[in-house]
Amino acid sequence: MKKTFFYLATAIALTACTQNSETETLAEENSTTTVAARRSCPSEEIRQQLLSTDASARARYANIEAGLQSFITSGKVLADGSVDIPVVVNVLYKSSAENISDARIAEQIAILNADFAGTNTDATKIPTEFSGVKAGDTQVRFHLVKTVRKATTKTKWGTNDAMKKSSSGGIDATSPSNYFNLWVVGNMGGILGYATFPESAGLWNDGVVIAAPYFGKTGATAPYNLGRTATHEVGHYLNLRHIWGDASCGNDLVADTPTQTGANYGKPTYPLYNTCSGTSRSVMFMNYMDYVDDAAMFMFSAGQKARSQSVLTSSGARSGLRVY
């Protein structure tokens, strides 16, 4: 079991990172949608770039982590029960297939609610080894407030947040301090989605982006057709890191997720043993914050629940989402 390292050490490590996030210039192209060969989520790389260049973001990150440690130490849970997060879905489409239906949006919201409540039907697959640390109900709920649609001539979008600005052909966020904005775009060149972390709370680009082929279930592209790309990216939005800590035997700052040597893909078979620091044990590849196929991920841990709850408290970075 790994221990949660002091939050400032992580901030320093991220600040020292010089890896640049991939960005693509938006252009009108004749390319067709690129199907992802395997799950790809550049959220952490984008975050590292932000923290390496923005001192105010680093300060917000440090404050969030300090608040988290206090929250975990106190053993508190959300005093008023579940937080019901208001969602605005922004759809940018060139073709009718990219203009996802209201029914598919409702389907994705329902998937988020089930996954974060621990009522997803495949939760029965959680191995006995991990049943004692499963999150169960995270007390986080989602409800759709409105859908904004906009036709576009763009055939490909990058990770430079152009879809979040009307001036670059996108849709401006709706009050990002108080609403969870989710953008759905047609094609991101094989990237399934990406998210901002809580240190970006309330900024113009705050929210989650998902490529239309991987949104919801009906009509989505296998093996990412169970709506779990949104679950994974919302995890980032609520301060969850990739479970392998984006390094070999890295640290995701959660004590109850076993350390693992890297990301997992496809549909692994349990138990899947990794060796870190001389200890061999099965990893929690079925965690939503790994890279496995949608059908192979079906749990959060109790430690991840605490991290998510911490940013939603009345003093948390995402307290503005507490709109009832």
Side-chain angles (χ1 to χ4, degrees):
M1 304 288 274
K2 58 183 173 296
K3 297 181 179 178
T4 303
F5 294 156
F6 188 53
Y7 64 92
L8 283 179
T10 302
I12 292 171
L14 290 175
T15 301
C17 179
T18 58
Q19 180 181 4
N20 291 325
S21 62
E22 175 188 0
T23 60
E24 299 176 74
T25 301
L26 296 182
E28 295 183 20
E29 305 170 0
N30 294 320
S31 60
T32 58
T33 299
T34 302
V35 178
R38 61 182 188 176
R39 191 179 297 278
S40 175
C41 163
S43 301
E44 188 64 44
E45 287 85 352
I46 294 169
R47 180 194 213 185
Q48 290 174 1
Q49 178 65 12
L50 172 66
L51 294 178
S52 70
T53 58
D54 189 331
S56 62
R58 291 196 297 272
R60 292 193 298 272
Y61 171 86
N63 288 334
I64 290 167
E65 289 298 324
L68 169 68
Q69 301 308 315
S70 176
F71 178 80
I72 292 175
T73 301
S74 71
K76 292 186 296 184
V77 296
L78 297 177
D80 55 354
S82 298
V83 172
D84 194 6
I85 296 176
V87 183
V88 176
V89 176
N90 304 292
V91 181
L92 288 154
Y93 64 95
K94 184 180 181 187
S95 66
S96 58
E98 295 173 358
N99 189 16
I100 57 173
S101 67
D102 290 343
R104 190 162 161 185
I105 293 172
E107 181 179 63
Q108 180 65 81
I109 298 296
I111 292 166
L112 285 173
N113 280 322
D115 288 350
F116 277 85
T119 58
N120 49 301
T121 56
D122 47 2
T124 57
K125 299 179 182 178
I126 297 173
T128 301
E129 177 184 5
F130 301 132
S131 62
V133 296
K134 66 181 180 182
D137 187 359
T138 66
Q139 297 179 281
V140 178
R141 300 291 185 273
F142 304 87
H143 73 274
L144 181 67
V145 173
K146 68 175 179 178
T147 301
V148 182
R149 299 179 184 274
K150 183 177 181 178
T152 179
T153 58
K154 309 290 185 184
T155 59
K156 191 175 183 180
W157 300 85
T159 56
N160 58 358
D161 291 335
M163 70 286 293
K164 303 174 183 178
K165 294 188 294 184
S166 59
S167 61
S168 56
I171 300 172
D172 294 333
T174 298
S175 303
S177 292
N178 304 113
Y179 296 91
F180 164 42
N181 280 261
L182 196 163
W183 287 266
V184 183
V185 299
N187 175 21
M188 287 197 288
I191 292 173
L192 278 67
Y194 71 98
T196 54
F197 285 82
E199 60 267 16
S200 296
L203 300 182
W204 67 271
N205 63 338
D206 192 23
V208 165
V209 181
I210 298 176
Y214 316 113
F215 187 87
K217 293 171 65 175
T218 304
T221 301
Y224 312 113
N225 56 345
L226 296 180
R228 264 58 192 271
T229 294
T231 303
H232 177 102
E233 299 303 339
V234 173
H236 287 318
Y237 181 79
L238 295 177
N239 208 27
L240 302 184
R241 299 187 64 189
H242 290 138
I243 195 171
W244 68 98
D246 291 274
S248 179
C249 297
N251 183 18
D252 65 349
L253 306 182
V254 177
D256 59 11
T257 56
T259 307
Q260 59 188 58
T261 55
N264 293 295
Y265 299 92
K267 297 179 181 178
T269 300
Y270 174 84
L272 177 63
Y273 290 99
N274 281 190
T275 300
C276 290
S277 300
T279 301
S280 177
R281 64 169 300 182
S282 180
V283 296
M284 194 186 285
F285 65 80
M286 68 291 303
N287 192 284
Y288 292 123
M289 303 314 295
D290 208 330
Y291 269 3
V292 295
D293 293 352
D294 278 20
M297 54 169 60
F298 37 78
M299 72 173 290
F300 287 118
S301 75
Q304 291 173 322
K305 171 182 176 178
R307 283 187 70 84
S308 297
Q309 286 188 340
S310 176
V311 297
L312 292 168
T313 63
S314 58
S315 59
R318 295 205 180 282
S319 61
L321 297 175
R322 297 164 66 91
V323 179
Y324 297 93

